[in-house]
Structure formats: C-alpha cells, structure tokens
C-alpha cells in the first residue's frame, strides 16, 4: 500500500478511503504513536495484535456511496473472488474499471 491508494471497506462496499500513510511494526509504542486517536482498538487489543507484525493504515474518508454494493455484485464485477479476510488488491480488469468509475464520480 502506498499513499494515495484507494481503499474499499467491505461488508458491502459503502465507504471509500484513500491511504495517507502506513506502518508495519510489532512494537506497541510505535503503533500507539502512529495511530494516535485514530484507532478503534484499545491498547490491550493492540498489545495482543503486536505478538506479530501489525500493519497500521492512516486513511481519509473519500466518499460514502448512496447505495452499498453487495458481495455478489463485487464478485460479478470481478472486484473479488471471495470475501477477503484482510487487505486484498483488485486484480481483474473489470474490477479495476469499476473502482475507477467510483474515483471519477
């Protein structure tokens, strides 16, 4: 992930964000310093996560879609094959074109 990359937040896609900055670390103090008040996790939860390397992502909300896009439609559009359990990259040309239409809208 690089600053400026687009993020789609899944359950169904209803929010789109843009990556500002990322950090990989397993040091709790680094995560807390990096995230500041922008995290939804308590320090105790972050400490458990830091048992292995953590990817922290700062992003800004770009847009909220009028109508959420369902998993079935995302699969049909080639955005994803299965529901991701973490961060995943859109690889199909159809999915990339769909993402571009959101950025242009």
């Amino acid at each position: 992930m690089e600053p400026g990359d687009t993020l789609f937040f899944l359950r169904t896609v209803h929010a789109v964000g843009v990556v500002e900055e990322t950090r990989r670390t397993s040091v709790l103090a680094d995560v807390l310093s990096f995230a500041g008040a922008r995290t939804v996790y308590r320090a105790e939860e972050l400490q458990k996560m830091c048992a292995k390397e953590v990817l922290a992502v700062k992003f800004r909300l770009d847009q909220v879609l009028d109508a959420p896009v369902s998993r079935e439609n995302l699969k049909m559009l080639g955005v994803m094959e299965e529901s991701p359990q973490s961060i995943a990259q859109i690889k199909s040309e159809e999915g990339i074109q769909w993402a571009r239409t959101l950025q242009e809208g």
Side-chain angles (χ1 to χ4, degrees):
M1 256 188 301
E2 298 292 328
D5 287 352
T6 301
L7 300 173
F8 298 98
F9 299 90
L10 291 177
R11 288 201 183 215
T12 58
V13 173
H14 68 277
V16 179
V18 176
V19 175
E20 291 181 340
E21 189 177 355
T22 63
R23 169 109 13 112
R24 286 187 182 274
T25 184
S26 58
V27 179
L28 177 62
D30 290 346
V31 174
L32 293 172
S33 173
F34 177 77
R38 293 176 74 173
T39 182
V40 298
Y41 297 103
R42 295 187 327 266
E44 298 80 23
E45 293 172 302
L46 291 170
Q47 179 63 59
K48 289 177 186 174
M49 291 178 194
C50 285
K52 58 183 180 178
E53 193 172 65
V54 172
L55 172 62
V57 180
K58 285 186 183 177
F59 65 91
R60 66 175 166 77
L61 181 64
D62 184 59
Q63 61 182 302
V64 176
L65 304 179
D66 293 330
V69 182
S70 70
R71 282 190 180 110
E72 293 74 26
N73 283 342
L74 291 170
K75 289 178 185 178
M76 187 176 64
L77 290 165
V79 174
M80 63 183 197
E81 293 178 19
E82 296 298 323
S83 295
Q85 298 299 310
S86 64
I87 296 170
Q89 182 177 10
I90 298 173
K91 295 181 180 177
S92 74
E93 189 57 38
E94 296 89 351
I96 292 168
Q97 289 302 322
W98 171 79
R100 286 187 181 133
T101 64
L102 291 176
Q103 292 172 319
E104 295 165 0

